[in-house]
Amino acid sequence: MNTAMPKCFKKESKPSKFCPGCGHSIVLKMLGQVIDDLNIQKKSFFSIDIGCSLLAWDFFDVDTIQTHHGRTVPVAWGFKRANNKAVVIAYTGDGGGYAIGLQNLIYASLRQENITVIAVNNTVYAMTGGQAAPTTMPHEITDSTPNGDFTLERPFFGPETLSLVAEGTPYIARGSISNPLILKNYIKKAILHQQEGKGFSFVEALSICPTNWKTDAKKSFEFLKEMEKTYKLGELKGD
Amino acid sequence: MKKVLATGNDAVLKAALDAGAGMFCGYPITPSTEILAGWAKAADKNKNLIFIQTEDEAAAGFGAIGGILAGKKAWVATAGVGNVIMQDPLSLAEGMRIPIVVYIAQRGGPSTGTVIFSQQEVVLTRKGGNGEGLRIVYSPGNIQELYDYVFKAFDIAWKYYFPVFILSDGYLGKTLGEVAFHQGKAMPSHPIMLNEHRAAAGHSLNLRNCYSLEEELGEVLKKQISDYEKMSEKVVEHEEFYVKDADLLIFAHGSVSQAAKAAIIEARAKGLRVGLFRPLTLSPFPIKESRKVVRGIKKILVVEASLGQFSDIIKSAIFGGTDAKYFEFFKPAEGITPEEILEKIEEYL
């Protein structure tokens, strides 16, 4: 496994502002390796949500804009419509992607917007202190679900939902930071899908949030294992 | 110049096309829908024009912002509660200096209200975001001005990098009248991200609107406010109508200013000394000019189709600069006729 820093990382903004142990760093490292491998650093446009994702605003030496909650997807397709040569990557958390931005996400997939969306699922709104997200596991204890009350009985399944509604020939997959190389492969396939002009591509990355979960390394990965039982890993759409 | 017969909505569309607009994102809402449908028809004929009917106003605004970052002159049109929802992307445009052009066709409020007319979106359009309202807001009053100021809006947006609004209403959009399409020279647009600077500088452009420290945001705002103030002197516009010997000065804007003009012509015929001061930019507001014009004026009458949203701006602009008697004629969300204004002139003069 390649452990070196991707070339497209910005050295001056490292170390990153993510909490120690945060899964975002692993997802972004895989994305960085893909950007290096495909040699797309100078033609990529990276659009990020708020929440913890916004900490990636100066992460890459890649043209990047930080948007509003749920709105990274429309900025991304707006850019792509106006500049078809750009490789456009939207980055969001589970709240921005599946709660406030769901309407925008669904219509981007319906209109076959030729962009790549990466959604990080760590089951909580992490930046605001760990409140319940659409992906919070049933009876999971969070800042806004004390004692495990108030959770959805059935959490929101992003890739599965998009598989049902996306038009055309989308690429849809779910990976996990428990296996970064498979996650990297999904991200690479999603971006190649876009470059081949095949339309909407989407990768969910299951991730960990030790800070808000209040877990150590071992317990964090134990909970990630639990998540993987609920959120099945693999490719749902695409070739 | 040759004049043609057109509706206000036609004039708005023609102006945007003549100004080089290349992308429109929108969600239908009366009375701005003709703009969306008109652009759709234009884009159907001209494949270089981008059109996206979005799932909501937020997506429309953010989609247009994406297009602008890639170098297109992108614009949006909305009204009423659509204007409320649109404030999400417009707050970003204000915070990040995105040159978006926004056409607002005011309708009655609050809530869904009515579908054709009001002047109740003055505060929302000027100050709608969670910030200071560093925006440019034009208030045209007739079809020719719709054409002229929509055309100008794109130039001003791409020159100064502030969001530019055309604050119109449903009556104005649907009115049929004569207009000259001058088709002047439009300013070019260029990519803000992934542009030649990126290639030349050898490093990327990273943009954010979220800051960790109060002082960081404070510095950003200081620069934005200073840029806004410098820009204001060049952009601010107003019109004076029979003000020279006026005893009573009317303040009105937009469609209502045209009713005021008609009333003033009738009043003058009766020998009544009345004039009009009419801001064409509601933001930045012609403060200096309005303070100057009220010197020596005995009576002021503010006329508007809202409950003082416009009058509040006048009061703050002329504060301490006059001891004129101050009258207000408000009809929130209702049309105002020249006859009604003439009645008020005769009552107060």
Side-chain angles (χ1 to χ4, degrees):
Chain A
M1 185 173 162
N2 179 7
T3 53
M5 264 212 326
K7 282 194 206 73
C8 63
F9 272 20
K10 257 168 87 173
K11 288 182 185 65
E12 58 270 30
S13 59
K14 304 292 169 296
S16 76
K17 302 177 194 82
F18 293 103
C19 301
C22 175
H24 271 290
S25 309
I26 298 173
V27 181
L28 292 170
K29 184 167 183 180
M30 293 306 106
L31 173 61
Q33 290 187 4
V34 171
I35 290 172
D36 283 359
D37 291 353
L38 299 179
N39 194 24
I40 53 171
Q41 182 183 357
K42 287 183 179 166
K43 58 176 175 176
S44 290
F45 173 77
F46 191 44
S47 171
I48 58 176
D49 210 272
I50 55 173
C52 290
S53 2
L54 80 77
L55 298 175
W57 78 275
D58 63 347
F59 201 91
F60 294 107
D61 187 12
V62 164
D63 274 18
T64 303
I65 188 164
Q66 171 241 324
T67 65
H68 285 181
H69 52 345
R71 309 306 176 210
T72 178
V73 168
V75 171
W77 62 244
F79 196 94
K80 183 74 179 188
R81 291 282 192 123
N83 179 355
N84 193 36
K85 287 184 190 136
V87 175
V88 175
I89 303 156
Y91 191 70
T92 180
D94 35 26
Y98 302 150
I100 192 162
L102 180 61
Q103 182 156 290
N104 302 145
L105 183 61
I106 281 181
Y107 274 85
S109 81
L110 268 174
R111 286 196 305 263
Q112 307 175 52
E113 300 289 353
N114 194 26
I115 58 170
T116 299
V117 181
I118 299 170
V120 177
N121 172 0
N122 58 13
T123 77
V124 285
Y125 284 77
M127 181 62 95
T128 47
Q131 295 76 32
T135 47
T136 294
M137 304 272 276
H139 311 296
E140 180 182 341
I141 291 172
T142 74
D143 189 45
S144 63
T145 56
N147 297 315
D149 295 332
F150 313 129
T151 61
L152 296 171
E153 281 303 314
R154 182 180 179 278
F156 190 81
F157 291 85
E160 287 80 358
T161 305
L162 290 172
S163 295
L164 291 173
V165 298
E167 270 300 324
T169 53
Y171 176 83
I172 298 168
R174 181 187 284 118
S176 168
I177 62 157
S178 69
N179 194 327
L181 288 185
I182 292 176
L183 176 64
K184 177 186 167 181
N185 189 38
Y186 292 163
I187 294 173
K188 186 181 272 182
K189 283 173 88 167
I191 291 176
L192 284 170
H193 189 85
Q194 178 189 161
Q195 286 193 288
E196 288 159 15
K198 289 182 182 167
F200 187 75
S201 52
F202 183 86
V203 178
E204 181 184 281
L206 297 184
S207 184
I208 58 173
C209 181
T211 300
N212 285 299
W213 292 358
K214 301 177 176 63
T215 46
D216 59 16
K218 183 164 172 280
K219 286 217 170 99
S220 295
F221 278 90
E222 279 171 12
F223 191 69
L224 185 60
K225 275 257 149 12
E226 281 304 305
M227 284 167 65
E228 288 171 6
K229 285 180 199 159
T230 299
Y231 299 113
K232 300 279 179 254
L233 303 179
E235 295 174 290
L236 288 87
K237 287 269 178 183
D239 37 42
Chain B
M1 186 173 286
K2 192 178 154 240
K3 289 194 171 181
V4 297
L5 202 60
T7 66
N9 289 323
D10 292 338
V12 169
L13 276 163
K14 181 80 168 84
L17 290 166
D18 288 351
M23 181 171 178
F24 179 94
C25 307
Y27 186 86
I29 182 165
T30 311
S32 70
T33 311
E34 285 91 337
I35 306 298
L36 174 144
W39 185 270
K41 288 173 187 94
D44 194 45
K45 283 193 204 123
N46 178 354
K47 296 299 168 203
N48 292 321
L49 300 178
I50 300 168
F51 169 65
I52 304 105
Q53 182 172 330
T54 56
E55 55 279 14
D56 55 40
E57 286 87 354
F62 283 106
I65 287 166
I68 289 165
L69 293 170
K72 285 277 177 200
K73 285 188 182 175
W75 65 305
V76 294
T78 190
V81 283
N83 191 1
V84 175
I85 297 169
M86 193 73 88
Q87 295 304 322
D88 177 7
L90 295 176
S91 179
L92 182 137
E94 190 179 318
M96 302 183 88
R97 304 284 296 268
I98 308 288
I100 191 168
V101 171
V102 186
Y103 178 77
I104 303 289
Q106 294 174 99
R107 52 184 277 163
S111 185
T112 319
T114 55
V115 296
I116 191 74
F117 176 78
S118 89
Q119 292 191 310
Q120 296 171 297
E121 294 172 48
V122 168
V123 172
L124 179 64
T125 303
R126 290 178 81 232
K127 305 276 183 186
N130 52 333
E132 304 303 332
L134 301 179
R135 306 158 166 212
I136 295 151
V137 180
Y138 288 108
S139 178
N142 58 41
I143 301 169
Q144 186 63 55
E145 287 176 359
L146 273 182
Y147 178 82
D148 294 345
Y149 286 95
V150 170
F151 185 94
K152 186 184 264 188
F154 286 93
D155 275 5
I156 295 291
W158 283 88
K159 188 169 180 187
Y160 296 106
Y161 292 88
F162 286 106
V164 181
F165 297 73
I166 308 295
L167 186 66
S168 177
D169 61 67
Y171 283 152
L172 201 47
K174 287 176 198 295
T175 302
L176 187 68
E178 283 190 327
V179 53
F181 297 136
H182 54 69
Q183 292 173 315
K185 200 169 176 299
M187 258 186 69
S189 63
H190 54 82
I192 294 169
M193 303 189 79
L194 285 190
N195 57 18
E196 64 276 13
H197 296 293
R198 162 99 185 70
H203 60 75
S204 57
L205 180 63
N206 301 155
L207 300 177
R208 62 170 166 167
N209 54 63
C210 183
Y211 302 89
S212 312
L213 304 171
E214 286 175 20
E215 291 80 358
E216 263 183 307
L217 176 57
E219 282 305 311
V220 172
L221 286 177
K222 236 181 253 169
K223 163 91 169 77
Q224 289 185 358
I225 293 164
S226 149
D227 288 354
Y228 188 83
E229 281 167 359
K230 271 183 236 153
M231 171 278 296
S232 293
E233 290 171 24
K234 292 174 192 133
V235 165
V236 75
E237 278 186 58
H238 79 285
E239 185 194 357
E240 293 178 8
F241 187 72
Y242 288 106
V243 300
K244 244 184 194 155
D245 62 343
D247 292 325
L248 173 74
L249 184 67
I250 295 179
F251 281 87
H253 75 99
S255 298
V256 175
S257 71
Q258 305 304 300
K261 278 186 183 178
I264 288 166
I265 289 167
E266 293 225 5
R268 284 277 169 180
K270 293 181 178 185
L272 298 171
R273 297 210 296 200
V274 55
L276 171 74
F277 183 94
R278 180 210 167 194
L280 275 150
T281 47
L282 290 182
S283 289
F285 196 80
I287 296 173
K288 243 193 286 175
E289 296 78 1
S290 47
R291 290 184 76 83
K292 194 173 154 202
V293 78
V294 296
R295 268 184 234 145
I297 293 285
K298 296 189 186 82
K299 291 170 180 174
I300 290 167
L301 170 62
V302 181
V303 184
E304 61 176 300
S306 63
L307 195 70
Q309 295 192 24
F310 177 60
S311 186
D312 285 351
I313 310 171
I314 312 293
K315 280 181 204 159
S316 108
I318 63 173
F319 178 75
T322 174
D323 49 12
K325 277 196 176 157
Y326 195 89
F327 302 101
E328 293 170 317
F329 177 40
F330 300 153
K331 275 185 88 180
E334 286 188 66
I336 299 176
T337 62
E339 292 74 25
E340 288 173 297
I341 298 173
L342 184 61
E343 235 174 72
K344 293 288 164 191
I345 293 170
E346 287 175 330
E347 184 184 336
Y348 297 132
L349 202 64

